[in-house]
Amino acid sequence: MKLKLDEQGHVVVQDGKPVYTHEDGKDVAFDAPSAVSKITALNAEAKGHREAKETAEARTKAFEGIEDPEKARAALATVANLDAGQLVQAGKVDEIKQAAIAATEEKFKAQVTTLAEQIKTVTAERDTTTGILYQEKIGGAFGRSKFVTDKIAVPPDMLQNTFGKAFKVEEGRVVAYGDDGNKIYSRARPGELADFDEALEALVERYPYRDNILKGSGANGGGAPNNGGKGGDKKTLPRAAFDALDPAAKADHARNGGLVTD
C-alpha cells in the first residue's frame, strides 16, 4: 500500500483523507482517526483478555494437585450433604476424649487405692512378724541366758524391760548396741561382735543400779538378804529401774514383796 501522489508530487486527498493505492491498484482514502480509535479498542480488548487469563491461572493454582476433578466434586458433595446431627456428633469428639481420660484415671485410682491397702496390710504383717521374731530371738535369749541365771537376781522379763532396747535382730542374729549407738564387740574375740551373754554383761556393768540386780552383791538382789537378813527374800529396785518395768512386771515385783528405793 502506497500513498497516492498527483503529477506535481502532492498527496491526493479525498474528503480530507489521504488516499492510498493498494497492491490490487484500488485507491482507498485512509481514515486516520478511525484507525487510531480502532487500535485503542483492540489494545483494550487485548488487555482484558490478558487480565482474564491471569485471573484464570490464579484460580487454577488453588486446585493444584487435584488430578481427578470428578472425585473432588464428589468429596465436596459428601461434605455438603452432612446433616446437622452428624456435625453435632463430630463436635463431641473432645467430650468423648475427656470422658475416656476421666474413666482411665478413675480405673487407676481404684487400683492405686487397692495397692495402698495391700501395702498397708503387708506392712502390718511384716511388723507383726518382726515383733514375733524379736520376742523369740531377744526374749528367748534373756530366758536362756546363763549369765542371767547365774548372775542376775531379778526375773528375765524385768531385765529385758531394762536392757531389751539395746538389742536388735540383724540378718537373723542378735546384735547389741551400747548407749553411744555403736555395736558392742567381744573382748574375748577381738574384731567380732559380742554374743548375747557377753554383750548383756557389758551393759549391766555400765548400769548405774547394777548392784540392785546382781546376785551376791549385798544389795538386796534376788536371794540376797535385805537389811542384814531381815525382810526375807524381798528384792529392792531403784525408782528408775522400777519405772522401766511394764505393768505386769511392776505388779509381780509388788506381789513378791519387792521394794522400791528413791
Side-chain angles (χ1 to χ4, degrees), residues 100-112:
I101 292 172
T104 302
E105 290 177 346
E106 184 64 26
K107 176 181 177 181
F108 281 104
K109 180 180 179 181
Q111 291 180 350
V112 169

Side-chain angles (χ1 to χ4, degrees), residues 16-256:
K17 303 172 185 176
V19 177
Y20 284 85
T21 302
H22 289 260
E23 282 77 5
D24 60 359
K26 185 177 181 179
D27 293 335
V28 177
F30 178 69
D31 189 350
S34 177
V36 171
S37 176
K38 185 63 176 178
I39 291 172
T40 301
L42 290 174
N43 285 337
E45 184 179 351
K47 180 181 179 182
H49 288 311
R50 186 183 71 254
E51 290 177 347
K53 176 178 176 294
E54 291 174 351
T55 300
E57 288 177 347
R59 290 180 178 177
T60 303
K61 194 173 185 64
F63 296 94
E64 285 184 355
I66 298 177
E67 301 295 336
D68 191 335
E70 293 303 322
K71 288 184 178 179
R73 289 192 186 93
L76 291 173
T78 299
V79 173
N81 289 332
L82 285 174
D83 59 28
Q86 290 174 310
L87 293 176
V88 171
Q89 185 176 3
K92 290 186 177 180
V93 172
D94 287 339
E95 181 181 342
I96 294 172
K97 287 181 179 179
Q98 293 301 322
I101 292 172
T104 302
E105 290 177 346
E106 184 64 26
K107 176 181 177 181
F108 281 104
K109 180 180 179 181
Q111 291 180 350
V112 169
T113 300
T114 300
L115 182 59
E117 290 297 328
Q118 291 175 348
I119 292 174
K120 184 178 179 181
T121 300
V122 171
T123 301
E125 292 175 351
R126 180 206 63 191
D127 292 343
T128 299
T129 302
T130 301
I132 294 173
L133 177 63
Y134 178 90
Q135 184 58 35
E136 170 60 26
K137 283 282 188 180
I138 297 178
F142 276 96
R144 296 186 295 267
S145 171
K146 187 175 186 304
F147 171 74
V148 173
T149 301
D150 294 345
K151 302 291 185 178
I152 301 300
V154 297
D157 57 342
M158 296 174 64
L159 194 69
Q160 182 179 347
N161 280 319
T162 302
F163 297 101
K165 61 181 179 293
F167 294 90
K168 296 180 181 179
V169 178
E170 297 179 356
E171 298 181 355
R173 64 175 296 181
V174 177
V175 179
Y177 286 81
D179 293 335
D180 57 2
N182 294 321
K183 294 179 180 179
I184 298 177
Y185 283 84
S186 173
R187 292 180 180 178
R189 304 181 310 280
E192 296 183 22
L193 292 174
D195 59 22
F196 180 83
D197 275 14
E198 186 177 2
L200 180 58
E201 184 175 0
L203 291 169
V204 170
E205 287 177 357
R206 302 171 192 171
Y207 185 54
Y209 305 105
R210 59 183 176 276
D211 291 341
N212 297 91
I213 61 175
L214 289 170
K215 288 181 179 179
S217 64
N220 306 321
N226 184 32
N227 295 327
K230 297 178 182 179
D233 293 329
K234 293 182 180 179
K235 301 179 181 66
T236 301
L237 289 178
R239 173 65 62 184
F242 180 78
D243 290 342
L245 302 178
D246 61 23
K250 289 179 180 178
D252 183 67
H253 181 70
R255 185 168 51 252
N256 292 327

Side-chain angles (χ1 to χ4, degrees), residues 2-13 19-21:
K2 295 180 180 180
L3 185 63
K4 187 175 182 178
L5 304 175
D6 59 14
E7 291 83 359
Q8 288 80 24
H10 298 136
V11 175
V12 177
V13 177
V19 177
Y20 284 85
T21 302

